Amino acid sequence: MKIFKKFLCCLFALTLSGMLLYADILCSFPSEITMYQNQRHKSNLGAGVTISNIPEDLCTSKNEKTVTPAKLGYYDATLKIADTIPFRRIRINVSEQKNIYASGALIGLRIYNKGLIVTNLAPITCGGAQISPAQNAGVLPGDIILEINGKLPKTGDNVSALITDNTTLTLRRGSTVLKIPVEPARDDTTGEIKLGIWVRDSTAGVGTLTYFDPFTNTYGALGHGINDSDTGIMFEVGNGTIEKSRVVSVKKGQRGSPGEICGSFSSQENIFGSVTKNCEAGIFGNMFPNLQPEGTSLPIGVMSQVETGDAAILSTVDGSIKEYKISILRAMPFGSATKGLAIEITDEVLLEKTGGIIQGMSGSPIIQNGKIIGAVTHVLVNDPTRGYGIFIENMLKEAG
């Protein structure tokens, strides 16, 4: 009897966990989706969820699997489980088809943070003793230094020049701004007064340009944000640049060991845009007029047009942009913002060159049925042939 009760308790716990997980998936479905006039779209969004109660006069054709809207505008519909149980109202935005330029070019990124990120606290030898003034005052790794004695520190090298015997730090910790007095200590070795902190003011690296729009001179890249390697804090852009980069070498990815593209970028002449936004969906900014990189004009493919099966990516791994074959394993509008697409590299040439997805390929545009539908974002460390992508819709929403 005890074994049976334990079995029932385990079964109940598993059932409850499954129900909660499914409820979380349902709550993750978007409240608004985009469709294009006179184009076919799937009515099944995955996880057993379908779009129902679509106005009859909206469609030129409709069946149990697809819908083709005929009129522009906003329309209300219902999301149902198994086409039976309604759980949420949804708005359909029917718009005209738009094009952007898919790129795949390797770019160099430089981002200067708005404030200094405290990456670590370090002791100072003062009077023969080890002390940490910043730690004693309550400063924490991950804090953002906005001001030192009322002045903005432009770089990490600028910190020592702003310190006085009685220093006040203006910090941002999460969403809270704090003013913390710190009494610096004089270093026995150098004779300088110090706070006992390590800070980071910028980051640089290579990635892939996903798209650009020559009519608005805007672009999107990477498909995911850039975080500080020590604290995990996402860089808040003070200013930044993107520039043309070249492939120096490629480290092939292996199970448990991510590969990477080693790129070089250093010339001011190669800068072709600014960075204005770093967020979960990628890097965004403005391009300088008449300096657009290489790209191909393609229609935008929305979530309800994405299918499992054959697709391609555009990427630069050997000096020029080339198209490589992939397979879309799952399309998940309800998933993480940057992991809506599960993908697998199937191109033998790319597998031989890189082993699959490697660092630097993030942002490679995903093409299916002649449309740009997303961008590569992550690799599975234990299987570099597989990874994730972001829907292009999510990037464009962040870009405004």
Side-chain angles (χ1 to χ4, degrees):
M1 181 61 73
K2 288 183 179 179
I3 295 176
F4 182 69
K5 286 183 177 179
K6 183 177 290 188
F7 171 76
L8 288 179
C9 288
C10 291
L11 181 62
F12 175 77
L14 288 172
T15 303
L16 181 61
S17 298
M19 291 174 63
L20 291 174
L21 177 61
Y22 190 63
D24 185 55
I25 289 174
L26 294 180
C27 292
S28 300
F29 271 86
S31 59
E32 179 179 312
I33 64 171
T34 299
M35 292 185 177
Y36 293 131
Q37 185 182 28
N38 298 324
Q39 292 192 22
R40 189 177 64 178
H41 300 262
K42 295 186 302 180
S43 57
N44 184 347
L45 298 180
V49 174
T50 55
I51 308 171
S52 301
N53 299 339
I54 299 172
E56 292 292 337
D57 62 346
L58 170 61
C59 308
T60 54
S61 68
K62 183 176 68 171
N63 57 43
E64 61 181 12
K65 293 184 178 180
T66 64
V67 56
T68 305
K71 297 181 179 180
L72 300 175
Y74 289 91
Y75 301 88
D76 291 327
T78 304
L79 292 182
K80 289 185 177 180
I81 301 172
D83 207 25
T84 303
I85 306 171
F87 75 93
R88 180 191 284 181
R89 299 291 291 173
I90 190 171
R91 172 170 278 194
I92 300 174
N93 173 17
V94 182
S95 64
E96 295 179 341
Q97 176 75 69
K98 296 179 176 65
N99 281 35
I100 53 176
Y101 278 71
S103 180
L106 189 69
I107 57 172
L109 292 148
R110 300 182 194 273
I111 295 179
Y112 297 89
N113 197 62
K114 190 180 290 183
L116 305 179
I117 301 173
V118 178
T119 59
N120 209 344
L121 303 173
I124 298 167
T125 303
C126 180
Q130 296 284 303
I131 62 173
S132 178
Q135 184 175 17
N136 293 340
V139 178
L140 300 175
D143 287 344
I144 309 295
I145 299 177
L146 303 177
E147 293 180 351
I148 300 176
N149 291 325
K151 296 181 179 180
L152 177 67
K154 294 182 179 180
T155 67
D157 296 333
N158 189 226
V159 171
S160 58
L162 300 178
I163 298 173
T164 60
D165 288 334
N166 292 294
T167 294
T168 298
L169 300 180
T170 303
L171 307 173
R172 186 175 66 249
R173 182 176 297 165
S175 58
T176 305
V177 176
L178 307 170
K179 287 187 179 293
I180 297 181
V182 183
E183 186 176 343
R186 192 169 296 278
D187 189 294
D188 287 348
T189 304
T190 65
E192 298 177 351
I193 55 173
K194 297 182 178 180
L195 300 177
I197 56 174
W198 290 100
V199 297
R200 180 167 291 124
D201 57 17
S202 61
T203 187
V206 297
T208 300
L209 183 67
T210 306
Y211 74 87
F212 62 91
D213 184 347
F215 300 103
T216 60
N217 288 321
T218 57
Y219 73 86
L222 267 63
H224 63 74
I226 297 179
N227 295 349
D228 175 63
S229 57
D230 291 309
T231 64
I233 298 292
M234 184 171 287
F235 279 89
E236 183 179 357
V237 180
N239 60 77
T241 58
I242 58 171
E243 55 191 271
K244 296 176 183 177
S245 180
R246 64 181 181 87
V247 178
V248 175
S249 63
V250 172
K251 176 186 175 184
K252 192 173 182 177
Q254 299 177 344
R255 187 181 296 272
S257 178
E260 66 174 322
I261 299 173
C262 296
S264 173
F265 58 103
S266 59
S267 174
Q268 293 290 314
E269 296 177 358
N270 289 327
I271 294 176
F272 65 91
S274 62
V275 180
T276 59
K277 187 175 186 180
N278 172 37
C279 64
E280 186 181 10
I283 304 296
F284 303 93
N286 301 309
M287 294 188 305
F288 302 147
N290 304 317
L291 290 178
Q292 287 95 7
E294 184 180 349
T296 304
S297 179
L298 292 176
I300 298 167
V302 293
M303 296 179 186
S304 55
Q305 293 179 312
V306 177
E307 304 170 348
T308 55
D310 293 342
I313 61 172
L314 300 175
S315 196
T316 303
V317 297
D318 62 359
S320 62
I321 300 172
K322 292 182 180 178
E323 182 176 301
Y324 300 100
K325 292 181 289 186
I326 69 166
S327 178
I328 296 177
L329 305 177
R330 293 189 308 280
M332 304 166 287
F334 50 84
S336 161
T338 60
K339 296 181 179 180
L341 297 166
I343 62 175
E344 180 179 22
I345 305 296
T346 58
D347 195 290
E348 293 297 332
V349 174
L350 186 60
L351 290 172
E352 177 63 28
K353 181 75 174 179
T354 67
I357 301 168
I358 58 176
Q359 295 176 25
M361 286 174 62
S362 292
S364 297
I366 301 173
I367 314 299
Q368 187 180 61
N369 297 325
K371 298 180 179 181
I372 177 171
I373 62 167
V376 176
T377 57
H378 296 82
V379 60
L380 295 179
V381 176
N382 290 326
D383 184 0
T385 67
R386 297 190 176 196
Y388 294 100
I390 183 174
F391 287 106
I392 195 66
E393 271 188 273
N394 290 340
M395 292 187 71
L396 294 173
K397 285 176 183 176
E398 286 292 346

